[in-house]
C-alpha cells in the first residue's frame, strides 16, 4: 500500500479504486485473481493493511465492490449478475470484510452492480437499493464516508437503464458519486432536473458534497 500509494502520489493522483474487498468464495468466482482469498478474516487483514498504506501516502483508498461480488461467476461488465447468498452468509463473510475496513477508517466504498435479493429484497442492482446503501451500509454498519457507484457504463446498467434514470436512482439510494455514466451530459442533466422538480432534495446533494469535501480538503478544513 505504501509503495503503490507513494507512486500514485508522485504522479499526482489522490485516489485509488482499491483495495478489492470481495471474497472469491465460490467455484468460478468472477473475482478469482483479484480477491485476496476466500477467508473473511484473512482478507480483512490484507484489505485494512493496503488501505492504511495508501492513506499514509495521502492517497484515498476505496473498498470495493460492496456488498461483495465474488460469490458469482457472472460478470456485470457483460450484463446482469446475481448471487443466491443468504443474508446470514453475507453478514458472516462478505460484510465482515467491509466492516473491518470501516472500523479501520475507510473513507470511500464502491457499490457493485450485483443483485443481492437476500439483502435488498429485489433483483435490482445494488447501487439502486436504498435498503443496502443507506439502511445497511450507512446506518447498520456506520459508514459515514463517500459511497461511489461502480462504472455506470457497464452492461449490467447501460443495457437496462438510461443514463439519467440510473444516475437519479443511484442518488436516491444514497450514493454520493456516480462513476462513468454512459452519457455524462444526460446523467448530469437528469440529476439537475430531478432536483429542480423536487424529486431529489438539494440537501441530499449537499450531504454528498460535504462527504466529498471532507476527503478532498482533509488537510485544510475542520469537521
Amino acid at each position: 500500500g505504501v509503495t503503490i500509494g507513494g507512486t500514485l502520489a508522485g504522479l499526482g493522483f489522490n485516489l485509488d479504486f482499491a483495495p478489492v474487498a470481495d471474497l472469491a468464495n465460490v467455484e468460478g468466482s468472477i473475482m478469482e485473481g483479484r480477491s485476496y482469498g476466500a477467508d473473511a478474516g484473512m482478507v480483512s487483514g490484507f484489505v485494512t493493511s493496503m488501505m492504511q498504506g495508501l492513506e499514509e501516502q495521502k492517497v484515498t483508498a476505496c473498498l470495493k465492490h460492496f456488498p461483495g461480488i465474488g460469490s458469482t461467476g457472472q460478470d456485470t461488465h457483460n450484463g446482469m449478475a446475481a448471487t443466491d447468498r443468504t443474508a446470514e452468509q453475507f453478514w458472516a463473510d462478505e460484510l465482515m470484510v467491509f466492516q473491518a475496513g470501516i472500523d479501520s477508517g475507510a473513507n470511500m466504498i464502491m457499490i457493485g452492480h450485483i443483485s443481492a435479493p437476500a439483502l435488498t429484497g429485489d433483483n435490482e442492482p445494488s447501487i439502486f437499493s436504498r435498503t443496502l446503501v443507506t439502511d445497511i451500509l450507512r446506518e447498520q454498519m456506520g459508514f459515514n464516508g463517500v459511497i461511489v457507484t461502480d462504472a455506470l457504463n457497464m452492461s449490467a446498467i447501460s443495457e437496462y437503464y438510461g443514463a439519467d434514470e440510473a444516475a437519479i436512482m443511484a442518488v436516491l439510494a444514497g450514493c454520493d458519486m456516480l462513476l462513468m455514466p454512459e452519457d455524462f451530459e444526460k446523467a448530469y442533466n437528469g440529476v439537475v432536473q430531478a432536483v429542480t422538480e423536487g424529486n431529489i432534495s438539494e440537501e441530499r446533494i449537499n450531504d454528498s458534497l460535504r462527504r466529498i469535501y471532507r476527503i478532498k480538503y482533509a488537510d485544510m478544513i475542520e469537521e
Side-chain angles (χ1 to χ4, degrees):
V2 169
T3 300
I4 293 173
T7 300
L8 290 174
L11 294 170
F13 291 98
N14 63 2
L15 168 64
D16 186 7
F17 284 131
V20 165
D22 302 290
L23 302 177
N25 54 1
V26 297
E27 185 176 353
S29 170
I30 190 62
M31 297 311 292
E32 285 183 359
R34 296 183 65 190
S35 169
Y36 288 110
D39 179 78
M42 180 190 71
V43 172
S44 295
F46 280 114
V47 166
T48 55
S49 294
M50 176 61 75
M51 181 185 78
Q52 290 165 356
L54 290 169
E55 298 280 354
E56 283 179 15
Q57 301 302 306
K58 306 297 184 183
V59 174
T60 297
C62 177
L63 277 60
K64 63 183 185 183
H65 309 79
F66 190 87
I69 66 175
S71 60
T72 182
Q74 301 164 314
D75 189 346
T76 52
H77 288 87
N78 303 324
M80 288 282 195
T83 177
D84 59 3
R85 298 279 279 176
T86 67
E88 291 75 16
Q89 288 173 318
F90 265 112
W91 281 106
D93 294 313
E94 285 90 347
L95 299 189
M96 173 181 169
V97 180
F98 286 96
Q99 188 68 67
I102 293 169
D103 293 345
S104 295
N107 286 309
M108 185 178 288
I109 290 177
M110 179 183 290
I111 308 287
H113 298 324
I114 193 172
S115 299
L119 292 175
T120 65
D122 58 42
N123 291 311
E124 288 197 323
S126 294
I127 61 166
F128 300 144
S129 173
R130 184 170 179 81
T131 297
L132 184 69
V133 176
T134 298
D135 296 347
I136 293 178
L137 181 55
R138 285 252 184 255
E139 296 179 6
Q140 293 186 45
M141 299 180 70
F143 181 62
N144 296 315
V146 170
I147 296 176
V148 59
T149 69
D150 204 347
L152 295 173
N153 62 358
M154 291 163 63
S155 294
I157 304 301
S158 62
E159 287 189 8
Y160 305 94
Y161 305 88
D164 50 352
E165 179 186 18
I168 292 167
M169 291 171 67
V171 170
L172 287 172
C175 296
D176 300 305
M177 297 182 72
L178 308 173
L179 177 63
M180 297 167 62
E182 184 180 33
D183 183 328
F184 174 80
E185 186 173 357
K186 186 177 182 181
Y188 172 85
N189 289 331
V191 172
V192 171
Q193 183 176 353
V195 173
T196 301
E197 295 177 352
N199 296 320
I200 298 175
S201 71
E202 189 168 341
E203 182 59 24
R204 169 68 193 86
I205 300 298
N206 289 338
D207 282 343
S208 291
L209 291 176
R210 279 188 283 268
R211 295 186 189 103
I212 295 166
Y213 287 159
R214 280 201 296 267
I215 296 177
K216 291 185 71 169
Y217 303 108
D219 295 333
M220 292 175 275
I221 63 174
E222 296 180 0
E223 289 289 336

